[in-house]
Amino acid sequence: PDFIHQKFYNNVLQYPERVAVVDQYKQITYQELIDQSNLLAATLVNKGIGKNEPVGICMERSCVMIIS
């Protein structure tokens, strides 16, 4: 079965320049979304967060929330 992350990554590969997320202030493409998500993941790893370790987020709905 396809999981949501697989479908998302397929969209990144097929449509990197298409808009993926829109909020009140900005929009980001699939490529920007994956790049920023990977940067956040690397930052968390550098801070000692391990694989499958939960990290809470508390923010308003926005592009940044989706990146998180």
Side-chain angles (χ1 to χ4, degrees), residues 24-35:
Q24 183 177 354
Y25 303 104
K26 67 190 246 180
Q27 62 186 28
I28 56 177
T29 65
Y30 282 103
Q31 188 63 57
E32 291 169 326
L33 182 56
I34 196 77
D35 290 345

Side-chain angles (χ1 to χ4, degrees), residues 40 44 54-60 64-68:
L40 175 58
L44 292 172
V55 175
I57 60 169
C58 181
M59 61 182 57
E60 296 197 24
V64 175
M65 183 187 77
I66 300 301
I67 291 166
S68 299

Side-chain angles (χ1 to χ4, degrees), residues 21-27 60-63:
V21 181
V22 176
D23 70 19
Q24 183 177 354
Y25 303 104
K26 67 190 246 180
Q27 62 186 28
E60 296 197 24
R61 292 180 181 185
S62 66
C63 290

Side-chain angles (χ1 to χ4, degrees), residues 30-50:
Y30 282 103
Q31 188 63 57
E32 291 169 326
L33 182 56
I34 196 77
D35 290 345
Q36 292 179 30
S37 296
N38 286 338
L39 180 61
L40 175 58
T43 300
L44 292 172
V45 167
N46 287 336
K47 291 188 178 285
I49 304 298

